[in-house]
Amino acid sequence: MTASVDLADFLPAYLAEVEELLDSAHRHLLAVEASARRGAAHPKSVRELFRALHTIKGLSAMVDVEPIVSIAHWMETSLRQADQAGGRLPESSVEPLLEGLRAVEQRIRQLAAGKPAAPVPAGLAERLESLEPAGATQGSAAAAPRLLDEEKALASRLGPAEREQLSLGATGGKRAVRLDFIPGADRAARGLTINSVREQVAALGDLVKVIPVAGPTPGGGSLTFALLLLTDATDTVLLDAAGGEPASVVSLSRPAPPAAPASAPSTEGSAEPLEEEPEEARRAGGTLRVEVSRLDEALERLAALVVNRSRLQRAVADLTAAGAPTRELRAILQENGRQLRDMRAAVLRLRMVRVGDMLERLPLLVRGLRRSTGKAVRLELDVGDTELDKAVADRLLPALVHLVRNAVDHALESPEERRAADKAPEGRVRLACHARASGWVDLTVEDDGRGVDAAAVARRAGVAQVPSTGDALLELLCRPGFSTREEVTSTSGRGMGMDIVRRIVVDQLGGELHLDTRPGAGSTFLLRVPLTITLLDAIVFECAGLRYAVAVGSVEELFEVEPGRVVRPAGSQGVALVERRGAAVPLLPLARLLGRAADDGAPPRGLLVRQRGELVAFGVDRLLGQQEIVLRPLEDPLVRVPGVAGATDLGDGRPTLVLDLAALGAARRSGAGGREERAS
Amino acid sequence: MPEVLVVDDSKVMRDMVVACLRPYPGLGFTHASSGLEAIERLSLNPYDLLVLDLNMPDIGGIEVVEFVRGQDRLRQLPIIIVTTRGDEASRARALSAGADRFMTKPFTPDAILSEAKRLLEEKRA
């Protein structure tokens, strides 16, 4: 019996886990830095950072990536010193530690690309080794509180930092309580475990420590978890979080509760600080990491099913038309359709990533910008639990990074300018996000900087008329030639590379981009993007003898075009108008936009679409129905055309173009050069 | 069927341990991602072998060993520590707390398999 396992097989899983650990390490290092700037300690983040590096080191050793083992080892050593100094890290230590994280990250990328990891960067070990811990926490030993005297058995199992935390928390106005959770087989079967309780309780306050206590319990068990926390929550809420009785709550600042059972083992003075400190619930708990390629594979299989179902549907329709008895077959088909929709929802859910996770590196970006620009900036993220399809998130991130970078680089004034303008010296950039109904997500990137100077932008763009609305201003900012000139952006406030942002949001994702800006007060960009771009419900129609599809969500209304209600007013340069919702809406014959007909006669059907806030109708020949499609993006830049979101197979094997009508109309309306401009 | 409780906050590490031990015929595996979860599982179910990391969230491996050895029911449970902490002090503390074996990461699949085999067979005897 010999082991035949090759640990190198774990490389893909290793890479995924290390990436996650690096994200956590970055987050905690930034938190430590923020505390260091205020002269405060951040023991919890120092410990988390240490743990991330420690795990990276162990895993890297297992898969034999020596350079990462070495880097992690040096970082771990300097963090151990910081931990022993009560979680204090001098600001000067942050840069070498970030350098260490970057070095690990670089080597992870090399491994992911199939290359060997480069050796440890020259001098890094020395820079990490020479880091000095900051001064030790003042008076932590003296702060051992009277608070816990009565709970001696438990108090002996707390480290000095935990005692201090409980004591300071209690004097800071919060209640220090002990919440007892008693696990049991029946509770575990209901999903009520120490992991779930811990997670719930951590959301109700600061969980300082969880101590297992052995001994008979009210429910007949032999184990109690004592959760020590600082909280404002009521006893009822706390009990609820622990699954109700036999859970109990005792206030630690009240007179003595009964002592803990004597059988509780004592660890007094034995455990090292890094092993006995409390932790936040790890987000990865109860979740499974899956490689993206496997999710893509599941989507591919689903796509094949969706296409096949369309074929089946067509075959059954043909049979029915030929007079065959298809009643049962149709019932099965209906059930099959429902199952496929459920399956689709399940696969899409698997592909969802939290927006908060996607944005994990933004604080790091802002930190770098703060240093390079010398501006004081506060980044606020308010993204809740909103989720997006991985494919959307991957495309969207560069646009958001671009907007945040622009905000700091160009929109925010220097501290001196802000003071002169009667503003707080620290600028603010806020990124918020919330899901809307019907499969769309709104994101806003807002700053309190100088705002966009519309007159300066118009001047630079060579436009006589100063734009009067945010969106008109955005049109100018998004001109490709315009935005590449640095000197323009310094006067405009927010111009740099906006064409890239619009290309991602509007052309690639089929979303919307809006701007609201007030001179001197700041700007807000609104990005509206679909939750997913891979599987969608589409309207299929015919135009000039060919079939096309558009996303249902992008069409506001389908209508019959009555030729008598179409007008061509003088001065409209031949553009026909049709009355919809009490307004005259341009009616664009789609066949002509697609270059497939020169005829200007009014087509019989119209699709009403909102294009940058304005309604536009597209005339088509025939509506063929609605069906679920799998969108295949046209990746080749030679065939990528504005207004074409991708292609799909409707089940007969013939490729069908999926149109983005809003982008198509905008590209064509921007003039003869429009297409080239937008496609560049 | 002998059941092994594998405790590590790294999922990849737990998977590696399971892959290393899988050649032992008839073993079943349960995962725990923290010391607290391990203690909860140990109080609710019987296990034949505990493979335990030292540095974990909540409470560390040493505290888990001490807890286990403090329970009559669990006093004989074989424990293998697998840790990145290769220093002598950690080894001495783990063994004096009651661990049976102390293995430093990186370990080879053969090494952990033969340690597990020996402990399971000693227990059976």
Side-chain angles (χ1 to χ4, degrees), chain A residues 1 3 5 13 17 51 58-59 61-62 183 193-195 198 214 223 225 267 270-272 275 279 282 288, chain B residues 10-13 24 36-37 39-40 43 55-58 60 63 66-67 71 84-85 93 106-107 109-110 117:
Chain A
M1 183 186 61
V5 61
E17 187 163 309
R51 192 184 310 288
L59 286 174
M62 291 301 289
T193 63
I194 183 59
N195 279 350
R198 194 187 183 300
L223 174 68
F225 286 109
T267 57
S270 63
E272 284 189 23
E275 290 178 358
E279 302 294 336
R282 286 172 71 92
L288 179 66
Chain B
S10 160
K11 180 181 182 297
V12 175
M13 190 57 76
Y24 189 97
L36 291 177
E37 188 186 345
I39 285 176
E40 183 177 46
S43 80
N55 206 296
M56 288 184 295
D58 302 313
E63 272 189 88
E66 286 170 338
F67 185 91
Q71 311 298 302
T84 311
R85 302 177 65 107
R93 274 183 49 213
F107 50 81
D110 282 331
K117 181 174 180 249

Side-chain angles (χ1 to χ4, degrees), chain A residues 309-660:
Chain A
R309 183 175 185 278
S310 297
R311 291 180 58 198
L312 190 61
Q313 216 167 1
R314 199 162 300 128
V316 171
D318 289 348
L319 278 178
T320 310
T326 56
R327 194 171 162 185
E328 194 177 344
L329 208 49
R330 277 183 283 127
I332 294 172
L333 197 59
Q334 202 171 8
E335 175 64 10
N336 172 257
R338 198 187 55 75
Q339 289 167 341
L340 207 53
R341 291 195 79 82
D342 290 350
M343 179 78 175
R344 170 192 140 158
V347 170
L348 285 182
R349 267 201 305 278
L350 285 181
R351 296 177 52 89
M352 289 292 182
V353 293
R354 284 161 46 99
V355 175
D357 291 345
M358 166 179 92
L359 299 176
E360 240 165 9
R361 294 300 177 91
L362 271 190
L364 199 64
L365 170 82
V366 170
R367 176 188 183 276
L369 291 170
R370 205 185 284 134
R371 292 169 69 86
S372 63
T373 61
K375 294 176 183 174
V377 187
R378 189 170 78 249
L379 175 70
E380 293 175 1
L381 293 177
D382 175 17
V383 295
D385 287 329
T386 318
E387 293 183 326
L388 278 174
D389 184 276
K390 175 95 176 82
V392 176
D394 285 350
R395 289 182 195 213
L396 187 62
L397 184 60
L400 293 172
V401 164
H402 211 99
L403 288 171
V404 170
R405 185 189 292 279
N406 265 3
V408 180
D409 262 351
H410 308 298
L412 292 185
E413 311 89 334
S414 67
E416 299 73 40
E417 286 174 279
R418 291 181 66 90
R419 270 194 211 97
D422 230 10
K423 291 180 173 182
E426 186 181 58
R428 185 175 65 93
V429 176
R430 183 169 190 275
L431 201 160
C433 169
H434 66 268
R436 300 169 70 229
S438 70
W440 291 81
V441 173
D442 280 352
L443 295 111
T444 52
V445 180
E446 182 190 345
D447 67 70
D448 67 348
R450 53 172 67 96
V452 183
D453 181 345
V457 171
R459 206 164 46 243
R460 292 285 181 180
V463 176
Q465 197 178 357
V466 176
S468 58
T469 66
D471 286 344
L473 184 54
L474 192 60
E475 278 298 317
L476 296 184
L477 291 174
C478 288
R479 288 187 177 183
F482 179 91
S483 53
T484 53
R485 285 155 50 196
E486 178 71 55
E487 71 273 17
V488 174
T489 62
S490 60
T491 54
S492 65
R494 288 286 287 256
M496 188 83 169
M498 283 305 301
D499 59 320
I500 299 168
V501 175
R502 184 162 74 178
R503 201 176 303 155
I504 292 171
V505 175
V506 178
D507 299 349
Q508 294 184 5
L509 294 173
E512 293 174 33
L513 179 67
H514 301 284
L515 167 66
D516 180 23
T517 185
R518 280 175 299 148
S523 307
T524 302
F525 286 90
L526 168 70
L527 295 79
R528 181 161 293 168
V529 296
L531 272 176
T532 172
I533 50 166
T534 45
L535 272 169
L536 40 100
D537 284 318
I539 296 166
V540 184
F541 59 87
E542 200 175 82
C543 187
L546 282 182
R547 279 180 327 183
Y548 298 92
V550 289
V552 167
S554 68
V555 177
E556 297 214 350
E557 190 184 330
L558 300 170
F559 65 97
E560 206 163 315
V561 180
E562 296 169 39
R565 304 187 73 167
V566 177
V567 292
R568 287 173 200 279
S572 69
Q573 292 163 328
V575 174
L577 298 175
V578 62
E579 188 276 325
R580 293 316 301 164
R581 305 183 191 176
V585 173
L587 174 65
L588 311 174
L590 189 62
R592 195 153 62 98
L593 287 181
L594 293 168
R596 295 192 54 83
D599 174 23
D600 276 353
R605 301 277 170 174
L607 306 175
L608 194 65
V609 169
R610 197 168 288 275
Q611 179 186 292
R612 296 185 194 156
E614 306 289 327
L615 286 173
V616 182
F618 290 85
V620 304
D621 296 338
R622 199 153 65 99
L623 296 175
L624 299 175
Q626 184 173 328
Q627 79 175 70
E628 192 171 49
I629 62 163
V630 179
L631 181 68
R632 311 242 175 235
L634 301 175
E635 297 293 357
D636 187 339
L638 290 175
V639 297
R640 215 184 292 151
V641 174
V644 177
T648 191
D649 178 358
L650 296 177
D652 56 5
R654 283 187 295 157
T656 299
L657 288 181
V658 182
L659 301 178
D660 175 353

Side-chain angles (χ1 to χ4, degrees), chain B residues 85-98:
Chain B
R85 302 177 65 107
D87 58 294
E88 260 321 300
S90 297
R91 174 188 296 271
R93 274 183 49 213
L95 295 177
S96 71

